[in-house]
Amino acid sequence: MAEKNILAYFKSPEEAEGAARKLQALRVVDYSIDRFSRYGSGTMMEFAQDLEMSHQSAGIMAKADPSNSGMSDGGQGGPTGRDILLTAVVDENVHHQAMKIVEDAGGMI
């Protein structure tokens, strides 16, 4: 049994979780849902008054970004909108079916 990978980007964790639930009907081998940022902290970030990050360098970079000053439109590039990554491993026999499920759920492959 050969396996194939799918990497899909979503706008929200809920969209990705919905796709993952549907993929489980196809007997997905494995999957994960992660949020990423342009600073590479590797953890979920909370953007509020203070940025809480586990990696000090990532926190410094995020706080220094012009989009956090309140004087910027925030359009400095980087991951905007689709910052949730669904990674799935499926049997190659259902790969096309799985990709359709992901796309129908709002994922960008």
Side-chain angles (χ1 to χ4, degrees), residues 3 15 21 29 47 50 53 58-59 61 63-64 78 80 87 97 103 109:
E3 298 170 344
E15 281 183 347
R21 280 191 298 276
V29 176
F47 287 96
D50 288 325
M53 298 186 175
M61 292 293 292
K63 289 177 183 178
T80 56
T87 306
Q97 219 178 337
E103 289 175 337
I109 297 176

Side-chain angles (χ1 to χ4, degrees), residues 14-61:
E14 294 79 21
E15 281 183 347
E17 289 164 5
R21 280 191 298 276
K22 291 176 183 175
L23 289 175
Q24 288 175 344
L26 295 178
R27 296 187 177 184
V28 65
V29 176
D30 194 17
Y31 76 91
S32 69
I33 298 172
D34 300 294
R35 171 167 275 148
F36 61 92
S37 80
R38 70 176 108 185
Y39 305 112
S41 70
T43 61
M44 298 287 265
M45 294 186 298
E46 292 182 28
F47 287 96
Q49 290 291 110
D50 288 325
L51 291 171
E52 294 182 24
M53 298 186 175
S54 64
H55 192 268
Q56 184 178 5
S57 296
I60 292 168
M61 292 293 292

